[in-house]
Amino acid sequence: MKTIHLGSSGVTASAIGVGCMRLNKLSEKELPAYVHTALEKGINFFDHADIYGHGECEALFGNVLAQEPGLRDRMVLQSKCGIRPGMYDFSKEHILRSVEGILQRLQTDHLDFLLLHRPDALMEPEEVGEAFQELEQAGKVLHFGVSNFNARQLELLQSGLKQKLQINQMQFGIMCTGLISHGLEANTQFPHAADRDGEVLDYCRLKGVTIQAWSPFQYGFFQGVFIDNPQFPELNQKLQELSEKYGVSKSALAVAWILRHPAKIQTIVGTTNRERLADICTAGDIQLSREDWYQIYLAAGNQLP
């Protein structure tokens, strides 16, 4: 398994991480085996959020850690907070209360990373900074980041923090290429030339912030998977051709396409199937050529000026 450095935190993690949003679909017997499969395949990064299963996913994972205490030392644990029913909340009180709940459910004394889940329009950077300072000083959170932030939002939040933001988790994949398409179509009237995110990928590269790619197999906003989807025949034909060339599955190719980018993007995968997870991990064994990377990009319906 390839590894990457997460921002400037000094933490080394697997290039592929497990997204824990659907862990509550696994039984109490299946979950420990799933966790061990991930570790055996070289995955040491597990991404949670307090809204996943309304806390149930964290609680189930915490039970696994409680049953095998030695597992925690083999993991990099991340969770997210800030989403409440009908609103977002970056108040100091909510952040501190959320982290207490997360730690209790995960049955651990600290998080390696805490992310703020989606931008809060009422965010006050200095107030967030006070919360982060308390969490860091108490040893409850070692490093911090965000999810779904554009470049200016990152800059604004960072202005109120003593801690450096290390991670920005964004939707990205073969069928969600906005982070790169607007740059490729710069100085044109092409559909994707408009910059929706403040050139956030380039910004993060310049600032040493690691991008984490969520939902790498989805198209649209949770509209479905594109692999073997008859709506995308050209893309799947190209993926089939290259899967034979590289000796890996289409799913592994989709992750390898992300890992090929020089930004060293970490890919978060949410499958709960152990065999599929093991298959996806083979993405770390290959490196797409520049030509093949662009062929996949074009087959997904994108264009070059």
Side-chain angles (χ1 to χ4, degrees):
M1 170 64 67
K2 293 180 179 178
T3 59
I4 61 171
H5 299 296
L6 298 179
S8 58
S9 67
V11 176
T12 300
S14 50
I16 299 171
V18 167
C20 298
M21 185 170 69
R22 301 182 182 88
L23 290 190
N24 56 350
K25 293 185 177 181
L26 296 173
S27 70
E28 292 186 10
K29 291 184 178 180
E30 292 172 327
L31 184 52
Y34 175 84
V35 171
H36 277 284
T37 295
L39 292 170
E40 289 164 5
K41 294 300 177 180
I43 294 177
N44 71 343
F45 191 94
F46 296 84
D47 172 59
H48 292 270
D50 58 1
I51 64 166
Y52 292 168
H54 304 289
E56 183 182 13
C57 294
E58 289 176 331
L60 291 170
F61 197 91
N63 290 338
V64 175
L65 296 183
Q67 292 166 10
E68 298 185 63
L71 288 180
R72 176 63 181 94
D73 293 336
R74 300 169 59 188
M75 297 176 175
V76 179
L77 281 187
Q78 172 175 286
S79 194
K80 302 183 285 293
C81 70
I83 298 179
R84 294 174 57 190
M87 63 184 290
Y88 301 139
D89 189 349
F90 287 1
S91 66
K92 177 180 178 181
E93 178 185 10
H94 180 71
I95 293 171
L96 295 178
R97 183 172 62 245
S98 296
V99 171
E100 289 299 327
I102 290 168
L103 295 178
Q104 289 176 15
R105 289 188 294 273
L106 287 174
Q107 301 193 50
T108 186
D109 62 356
H110 74 280
L111 289 173
D112 296 290
F113 291 87
L114 173 71
L115 307 189
L116 299 180
H117 209 156
R118 281 193 175 273
D120 175 12
L122 304 181
M123 172 182 73
E124 298 184 46
E126 293 76 17
E127 183 178 5
V128 175
E130 291 177 8
F132 283 8
Q133 189 71 1
E134 285 194 23
L135 292 169
E136 183 182 57
Q137 289 179 344
K140 294 178 179 180
V141 178
L142 304 186
H143 308 286
F144 300 87
V146 296
S147 183
N148 306 298
F149 271 48
N150 67 31
R152 286 296 185 186
Q153 290 167 332
L154 278 163
E155 192 78 23
L156 175 61
L157 177 57
Q158 186 65 73
S159 71
L161 306 179
K162 294 182 178 179
Q163 301 79 13
K164 181 182 181 299
L165 294 170
Q166 304 289 355
I167 288 170
N168 189 12
Q169 191 173 111
M170 304 284 285
Q171 186 177 13
F172 181 66
I174 291 174
M175 288 297 295
C176 185
T177 60
L179 293 182
I180 57 175
S181 292
H182 79 89
L184 288 170
E185 297 182 14
N187 196 35
T188 73
Q189 297 298 313
F190 285 10
H192 296 120
D195 175 18
R196 298 176 180 271
D197 305 305
E199 298 182 349
V200 69
L201 179 58
D202 293 339
Y203 173 89
C204 287
R205 292 181 73 181
L206 288 168
K207 297 294 185 178
V209 177
T210 294
I211 293 284
Q212 292 176 340
W214 59 265
S215 288
F217 307 114
Q218 292 275 330
Y219 67 95
F221 191 71
F222 294 110
Q223 289 180 260
V225 298
F226 57 81
I227 294 174
D228 293 328
N229 187 326
Q231 294 185 66
F232 310 107
E234 183 179 352
L235 174 59
N236 278 285
Q237 181 179 351
K238 177 55 65 176
L239 290 176
Q240 181 61 41
E241 172 191 325
L242 293 178
S243 72
E244 294 171 4
K245 174 180 176 179
Y246 286 94
V248 298
S249 70
K250 294 177 183 177
S251 295
L253 268 178
V255 172
W257 186 85
I258 296 171
L259 299 183
R260 176 63 177 82
H261 195 280
K264 294 180 171 52
I265 297 168
Q266 186 182 39
T267 307
I268 306 298
V269 300
T271 181
T272 56
N273 182 289
R274 292 168 58 196
E275 290 74 23
R276 177 168 161 75
L277 181 64
D279 171 70
I280 290 170
C281 287
T282 62
D285 298 331
I286 65 170
Q287 175 152 317
L288 295 178
S289 70
R290 183 180 295 265
E291 179 183 17
D292 290 338
W293 189 92
Y294 272 103
Q295 285 185 4
I296 291 172
Y297 178 78
L298 293 171
N302 295 297
Q303 56 187 330
L304 296 175

